[in-house]
Amino acid sequence: MADGSSKQGSSRPAWLLFALPAGLLLAGAMIIPLLLTFWTSVAEPKAGLGNYAEFFASATYLRILWRTIWTAALVTLVCLLLGYPYAYLMTLVGRRTRMLLTVAVLVPFWTSAIVRIFGWMVLLQPSGLINRALALVGLGPFELLGNLTGTLIGMVQVMLPLMILPLYSTMGRIDRRLMVAACSLGATPSGAFRKVYLPLSRPGILAGSVIVFVSSLGFYLVPQMLGSPQQQLLSQLIFDQVSSLLNFGLGAAMAVILLAATLLVLAATSSLTRGSSHTGTISLSSSNGHPTLTGRRPLGLGIIALFVAAILVAPAIILVPLSFTAEASFVFPPKAWSVRWYEHFFTDGEWIGSLLASLKIALMSAIIATILGSLAALGIVRSRSRFTTPMLMVMLIPRVVPHVVLAVAVFAFFLVLGLVGKVSGFVIAHTALAIPLVVITMTAGLQMLDERLELAAASLGANRFRQILGVTAPLMLPSILTAAVFAFVTSFDEVIISLFLQSPFLRTLPVKMFSSIQDQIDPTIAAASTLIFLVATVTITVSLFATGGRHAARG
Amino acid sequence: MRHAAERGAHVRLAGVTRRFGDFDAVRDVDLDIAAGEFVTLLGPSGSGKTTTLNMVAGFIQPTAGDIEVDGRTIQALPPHKRDMGMVFQSYALFPHMTAEENVAFPLRERRRSAGDIAESVRRAFELVKLDGFEKRYPDQLSGGQQQRVALARAIVFEPRVLLMDEPLGALDRKLREWLQSEIKRLHRELGLTVIFVTHDQGEALALSDRVAVFNRGRIEQIGTPQELWTTPRTPFVAAFLGDSNLIRGVVADDGGLSSSSRTFRIAGQPGLAAGAAATLLVRPEFVQLARTRQQHTDPGANHLVGHVIDVTFLGSSYRLTVACSEIGTFLAAQTAASFEGIAEGDEVGIWWRAEHGVLLAGVDESVHHVGNRN
């Protein structure tokens, strides 16, 4: 029908020029530092594979590597066991409940890592809420902090959304009538679930497990703050080698090993996750569209879902009341209320200084990343050349490489360039980190945009510039806003690279929080956390309204 | 139409070719469209008609050949300078603008004054009979209303050429027929040159001054709807327009057609060389039927016998499918008024007069042998 519409037109490589600025920034801020890390690992302190030999000869290091893999596997398993019923329930309930469940899943996304972890510290401490609740039923007290349990709880909370979202998107596409059909053919409900539903949801299980496992390999903050110093994971080892011991060669080798492990897992599973994307259905069957097809909702599912929702939300929420305590402790509930910790936050030069630094850096990073990333996405989508996929892969590097690896690579490179302790250093690193999110968001948006609208504008007399200004940009505004919010939050929350780039005169808010948790701990941190949570929530809510509002208003 | 003919432009395509990789989407198309003429590009999907339209609009550059408007080449002009209105297949209305803003868009791009824009937009809405819907957004309009907004937007800036890419494809039949008459009326009133793309032969016949039938990137035949229907030049055109019976064979010594079983008489055909491969076209409308196997003695007629395997009532007419042992299934049409109550299973005699058979050069393997329904 649309024969010879411009869709099948040949590639237009000139469009790729749009991706050049973002590509150059990524090259300078991420790719060259990573390549230098490879080089360092075989060149320092002396040329050769000495660093790798040292790593693989050391029983301690190997134990840490093994522990890292084992912990990641455990996190993946727990996430799957908790996430599967949760995602399944999401497909069964009505629109309103599903909305609530979705919001609960998204809470960890917009709670800053440091805030989340601090929330867990408060909840899990020996006299914390959880131990006191257990005491009521005659259990405990348990050691929940400073050991594997703490690490596990913290990591599972962060990883649950990455498990639940792919599961849900797969399950949402499973035609529930298939279960009815299976039952009509003689299968018991549990048999139908096992033989039909479970196999059809396999793509989601695989995708979720791979993402969770790979991401879990690179955790630094959670084990550092909730785990035991005697049970280090690989990221912590790398961090220490570079940051405290300044052992760049060995640190680089370890970073390469972590990166290799990550890429190995991705490569090994990519064929598994790609080949099985069919879900055996033709339509996007809305699960609550047909009453008779709505599955039963066993009570057990609801209990698990409540438990999961509590894990997701609790550490973010707990800090809000605590920030209003009148005491200098974290006893919950507070015996008396006050705003003294907010006063302290806004009058203390260090706190307010770090907030301003964070806002400034996040704003600049968001603006630059949104512009460069949007241009890159436009170039990638429109060029349709054979470089499209490689370009997209390059853009995604900062998301695939473990954060600690990026941090040590950037640190070593920026030291040479004199960018450590400078606002420009922070902005460059954070922009590079945010570009992938902008590119993903904008690419998705641009692919949905009907290119014929631009052709229509052209046929009506609009030149290239007017087409983009009058048609493309307004239609893309929701995506642009979303991308900018993502970029802002990415920079505002970033901890690990910032830990390396900080100076006594330039600290971002999360870095300041990290260090004050380590030394003098008082409820100012709770006040700061609440403020961060508020900033993120307001930003995201406003952008949701701004993007969804116009359509909603027109019904 | 004539009184306004000066508004339309003369459009000429000469040797236009478009290659995608090693695939010729359009091959050597020549098309001369008079000022104010309504020409339809008709063909199955993938035949190159939309690619041709997109080249006229400037969205696709020809690999070879030239496109002229009023004798001047427009090859170097970008789409926004070609001054041609275009109605897209799915309308391509800007979803973030109201109907009115959509229609005003081309005028704003041309920096018309506000008063001028308001007046032109008002007239355009009147012209497509959509006054009262100006403030709606596209997603608040029905398919037919969206279509008319798209039409208003394409004509509001008074282009001299209007391009339409399957503009009625997404609408139901009733609405489609009404909009066809509306498009015809607009064409008459505005005197534009219209290039219309469709795969629907009925639409092409109903609307056009002339139709260009596309097949595999080439124009098979250009002509008025009547010419194409009565004297198609190729089996493809015969099969694509209207129902048809096509019998393959070779040209006999007497100018008739020899099929595997027998020779059919054909009157007054311009000579094809005897022995050449040829196809005989008989329109079902010219096929006579009789229930009894009466011996028909008309010497100028061709006779067959068979039994009826399907009778379909189409409202104003009946279509009968007859299985003939000699050549396979054969279609015949009878008006409802002359229908003789023939039923499935009846043995019937079939005949048609020699002058109603049309001999076409060549045999096209891609078209069905006999009994082509459209």
Side-chain angles (χ1 to χ4, degrees), chain A residues 1-6 8-10 450 452-464 466-467 470-472 474-475 550-551 554-555, chain B residues 18 20 45-51 54 59-60 79-80 84 86 88-90 92-97 105-106 109-110 137 139-140 153 157:
Chain A
M1 209 144 303
D3 48 323
S5 82
S6 56
Q8 55 168 241
S10 41
D450 189 350
R452 270 175 309 186
L453 292 176
E454 281 176 19
L455 295 185
S459 82
L460 298 168
N463 61 31
R464 252 266 150 259
R466 302 273 316 157
Q467 288 162 36
V471 177
T472 319
L475 287 172
R550 196 176 50 84
H551 264 273
R554 285 197 274 127
Chain B
R18 172 67 212 204
F20 291 113
S45 52
S47 60
K49 55 193 193 303
T50 299
T51 306
N54 281 332
F59 302 144
I60 298 179
H80 66 272
M84 295 181 179
M86 173 131 179
F88 290 78
Q89 193 170 9
S90 49
L93 294 178
F94 305 126
H96 59 306
M97 299 180 190
F105 184 92
E109 289 306 317
R110 288 168 174 76
Y137 281 92
D139 60 5
Q140 295 169 318
R153 188 178 69 174
F157 57 100

Side-chain angles (χ1 to χ4, degrees), chain A residues 138-327:
Chain A
L139 291 171
F142 293 104
E143 277 291 334
L144 300 172
L145 215 51
N147 54 25
L148 183 64
T149 317
T151 306
L152 215 56
I153 293 176
M155 283 168 74
V156 163
Q157 190 230 355
V158 184
M159 287 294 107
L160 265 172
L162 294 187
M163 179 65 85
I164 291 174
L165 292 177
L167 277 175
Y168 173 63
S169 97
T170 306
M171 288 174 177
R173 271 176 285 155
I174 297 176
D175 193 337
R176 197 162 294 287
R177 282 168 299 188
L178 294 175
M179 298 271 281
V180 179
C183 288
S184 80
L185 296 168
T188 62
S190 70
F193 183 85
R194 223 175 42 249
K195 288 174 197 145
V196 176
Y197 200 87
L198 208 55
L200 285 175
S201 63
R202 219 179 61 128
I205 296 176
L206 279 172
S209 301
V210 169
I211 300 173
V212 169
F213 183 78
V214 165
S215 311
S216 300
L217 287 176
F219 263 89
Y220 169 75
L221 279 181
V222 171
Q224 178 69 19
M225 297 171 79
L226 301 178
S228 151
Q230 276 77 51
Q231 295 182 318
Q232 275 200 323
L233 299 184
L234 195 50
S235 294
Q236 294 164 280
L237 189 62
I238 296 170
F239 194 100
D240 286 353
Q241 288 297 329
V242 174
S243 129
S244 6
L245 306 174
L246 295 178
N247 199 345
F248 283 94
L250 186 58
M254 291 170 175
V256 171
I257 290 168
L258 177 56
L259 180 58
T262 306
L263 295 180
L264 213 69
V265 175
L266 281 178
T269 50
S270 71
S271 58
L272 281 180
T273 44
R274 199 180 313 133
S276 50
S277 60
H278 70 93
T279 43
T281 171
I282 8 113
S283 61
L284 274 164
S285 67
S286 122
S287 47
N288 57 343
H290 210 290
T292 58
L293 297 181
T294 309
R296 290 184 306 125
R297 277 172 256 162
L299 189 61
L301 266 188
I303 292 171
I304 295 176
L306 267 181
F307 178 66
V308 171
I311 291 180
L312 291 167
V313 177
I317 303 282
I318 186 76
L319 296 173
V320 178
L322 274 181
S323 68
F324 291 101
T325 182
E327 293 146 87

Side-chain angles (χ1 to χ4, degrees), chain A residues 240-488:
Chain A
D240 286 353
Q241 288 297 329
V242 174
S243 129
S244 6
L245 306 174
L246 295 178
N247 199 345
F248 283 94
L250 186 58
M254 291 170 175
V256 171
I257 290 168
L258 177 56
L259 180 58
T262 306
L263 295 180
L264 213 69
V265 175
L266 281 178
T269 50
S270 71
S271 58
L272 281 180
T273 44
R274 199 180 313 133
S276 50
S277 60
H278 70 93
T279 43
T281 171
I282 8 113
S283 61
L284 274 164
S285 67
S286 122
S287 47
N288 57 343
H290 210 290
T292 58
L293 297 181
T294 309
R296 290 184 306 125
R297 277 172 256 162
L299 189 61
L301 266 188
I303 292 171
I304 295 176
L306 267 181
F307 178 66
V308 171
I311 291 180
L312 291 167
V313 177
I317 303 282
I318 186 76
L319 296 173
V320 178
L322 274 181
S323 68
F324 291 101
T325 182
E327 293 146 87
S329 71
F330 293 103
V331 176
F332 189 89
K335 293 192 183 65
W337 306 92
S338 84
V339 290
R340 59 183 277 207
W341 303 111
Y342 287 90
E343 267 175 55
H344 183 237
F345 181 90
F346 283 111
T347 50
D348 183 291
E350 270 192 41
W351 278 110
I352 193 75
S354 64
L355 173 66
L356 292 179
S358 266
L359 286 175
K360 184 163 133 194
I361 291 167
L363 203 64
M364 286 165 69
S365 307
I367 291 171
I368 302 175
T370 306
I371 295 172
L372 297 190
S374 302
L375 287 177
L378 192 67
I380 287 172
V381 170
R382 292 293 162 80
S383 72
R384 293 193 300 249
S385 78
R386 65 205 152 87
F387 299 113
T388 303
T389 316
M391 281 300 275
L392 207 56
M393 306 261 276
V394 169
M395 296 287 161
L396 297 184
I397 283 178
R399 287 285 131 182
V400 179
V401 177
H403 212 110
V404 159
V405 175
L406 286 181
V408 297
V410 167
F411 178 54
F413 189 54
F414 281 19
L415 262 184
V416 179
L417 298 181
L419 286 171
V420 171
K422 301 250 173 65
V423 170
S424 54
F426 277 92
V427 171
I428 292 173
H430 286 182
T431 303
L433 216 52
I435 279 179
L437 292 175
V438 177
V439 170
I440 293 170
T441 311
M442 294 300 292
T443 308
L446 282 168
Q447 274 164 348
M448 293 221 288
L449 181 78
D450 189 350
E451 225 183 302
R452 270 175 309 186
L453 292 176
E454 281 176 19
L455 295 185
S459 82
L460 298 168
N463 61 31
R464 252 266 150 259
F465 177 70
R466 302 273 316 157
Q467 288 162 36
I468 291 180
L469 202 71
V471 177
T472 319
L475 287 172
M476 289 304 295
L477 200 61
S479 299
I480 295 172
L481 268 177
T482 310
V485 168
F486 276 149
F488 182 88

